[in-house]
Amino acid sequence: MRCPNHLLLQLDQGHRLRERSGYRGRFAPSPTGVLHFGNLQTALLSWLQARCCGGEWFLRIDDLDTPRNRPESLLRIQSDLLWLGLHWDGQPILQSSRLGIYNSWLSSLRRSGLVFACRCSRRDLAGESIYPGTCRAIDAGWGWRAQRLPSWRLRVPEHNPFGSGDVVVRRADGFIAYQLATVIDELSFGITDVVRGNDLQDALPAQRSLYAALGQKPPRFWHGPLLYDDDGQKLSKRESSAGLDVARLNGEDPAHVIGQLAAGLGLVPMGTRLSLDELLSDVRDASTLPLNS
Ligand code: GLU
């Protein structure tokens, strides 16, 4: 793919960062509400893996989907992580401050003929597990004529090894898609290891296709267990599943909550109270963390 120099420089810098530090991890919450215990568990796993490996750990705020953002979450996420002692390296990375970069990548993909305009609605695609290629051959000008924006999809080779369809890189509402932003960010910041919840396993085929289209090596991906509420529903920020507020109201301190999270992960017996440093020295070997790749 043809790529302007400033984008190549970014990739190059990402490579150098990777090589220099060996391990660079990140936690990337969306500021759509308060972190619940499932999010905190993922943050803890990601932090533990990074620190066990003597690596760096970054906080990235995935705030591109502005209608879903809750302004107060940005500070709450940071203060909750700090209350537990989950300190990140450097400044938090706000995706909203990187729009120019994502747009440059998008233009580059477009100029290289790697993306096409798609007019399929969610309804058109209901029941399709993989995008059936409906708009691949349609002339790109239709969006103007229809007076609305198309979404833009990456043209992914059929029968690709990842099992992905054509990935949406810019949504029909004009927002940069999560898949594009996350891949660009892992590459530019030299992330070597991505730890997230099992629910994001579904995002892997699309992301692997994007790495392949950019000719870049993906980071290692790890997935941790999810937490469910009493009705068997996955905890959700938007549904306001209980976070640290409730714990604090009940008089619980960080040592209690860390013990509770670590016990949920099978790392310590139930009822243990301990600091993050104590937990880190207990764990020592990252391969004992309940993560699957
Ligand atoms: N921002 C995404 C979320 O909170 C996670 C992104 C990621 O870890 O790749 O679900």
Side-chain angles (χ1 to χ4, degrees):
M1 147 177 166
R2 278 178 296 135
C3 214
N5 280 344
H6 70 285
L7 297 182
L8 291 176
L9 276 174
Q10 250 180 35
L11 290 179
D12 203 46
Q13 183 175 333
H15 285 307
R16 270 183 284 123
L17 289 170
R18 264 173 178 231
E19 274 161 27
R20 203 177 60 197
S21 23
Y23 185 109
R24 289 166 67 88
R26 89 319 183 253
F27 176 55
S30 306
T32 51
V34 166
L35 296 176
H36 56 62
F37 269 70
N39 302 131
L40 294 171
Q41 182 178 276
T42 303
L44 177 64
L45 274 172
S46 161
W47 183 90
L48 280 171
Q49 193 191 52
R51 298 310 190 206
C52 276
C53 298
E56 293 168 282
W57 190 67
F58 299 93
L59 173 63
R60 187 181 85 205
I61 305 286
D62 287 0
D63 57 349
L64 289 183
D65 192 346
T66 25
R68 289 178 56 214
N69 288 348
R70 305 241 181 104
E72 67 287 1
S73 318
L74 177 61
L75 288 179
R76 274 301 304 275
I77 288 174
Q78 298 180 61
S79 62
D80 281 355
L81 293 175
L82 294 175
W83 187 78
L84 287 173
L86 292 167
H87 296 264
W88 55 90
D89 292 299
Q91 294 297 316
I93 301 157
L94 264 63
Q95 286 197 322
S96 56
S97 67
R98 296 174 44 77
L99 280 176
I101 292 167
Y102 309 132
N103 279 319
S104 299
W105 276 106
L106 197 57
S107 315
S108 204
L109 287 166
R110 282 171 72 168
R111 274 199 305 275
S112 310
L114 287 173
V115 295
F116 64 93
C118 169
R119 68 190 150 91
C120 297
S121 64
R122 229 175 257 260
R123 184 138 43 99
D124 293 332
L125 298 175
E128 302 281 359
S129 57
I130 289 196
Y131 177 73
T134 322
C135 297
R136 273 179 164 235
I138 294 176
D139 141 36
W142 78 268
W144 285 114
R145 290 193 300 272
Q147 296 289 300
R148 64 183 177 92
L149 285 172
S151 61
W152 289 91
R153 285 183 184 269
L154 177 75
R155 213 178 276 280
V156 175
E158 267 172 71
H159 312 298
N160 62 83
F162 318 116
S164 135
D166 296 330
V167 182
V168 174
V169 285
R170 198 202 65 188
R171 298 167 11 181
D173 55 14
F175 290 110
I176 298 287
Y178 154 70
Q179 309 286 16
L180 178 68
T182 193
V183 166
I184 300 298
D185 286 347
E186 317 308 8
L187 290 172
S188 338
F189 292 99
I191 299 299
T192 58
D193 292 79
V194 169
V195 174
R196 43 194 178 192
N198 264 328
D199 52 340
L200 280 166
Q201 292 248 23
D202 294 352
L204 269 188
Q207 290 177 21
R208 289 197 187 280
S209 291
L210 265 161
Y211 285 104
L214 298 175
Q216 300 296 314
K217 183 170 161 257
R220 288 178 287 262
F221 294 106
W222 306 90
H223 299 92
L226 297 181
L227 289 183
Y228 296 90
D229 64 17
D230 293 342
D231 302 329
Q233 298 295 314
K234 200 177 78 181
L235 298 188
S236 141
K237 274 204 224 87
R238 277 192 296 168
E239 300 297 329
S240 307
S241 299
L244 289 178
D245 275 350
V246 177
R248 281 188 286 247
L249 269 179
N250 292 338
E252 293 163 7
D253 61 359
H256 177 102
V257 176
I258 290 159
Q260 195 182 348
L261 291 167
L265 292 167
L267 299 173
V268 297
M270 280 292 188
T272 308
R273 289 174 50 83
L274 78 179
S275 70
L276 268 185
D277 282 344
E278 287 164 333
L279 178 60
L280 184 58
S281 52
D282 266 15
V283 172
R284 259 196 234 118
D285 180 357
S287 67
T288 60
L289 295 171
L291 287 168
N292 50 58
S293 48

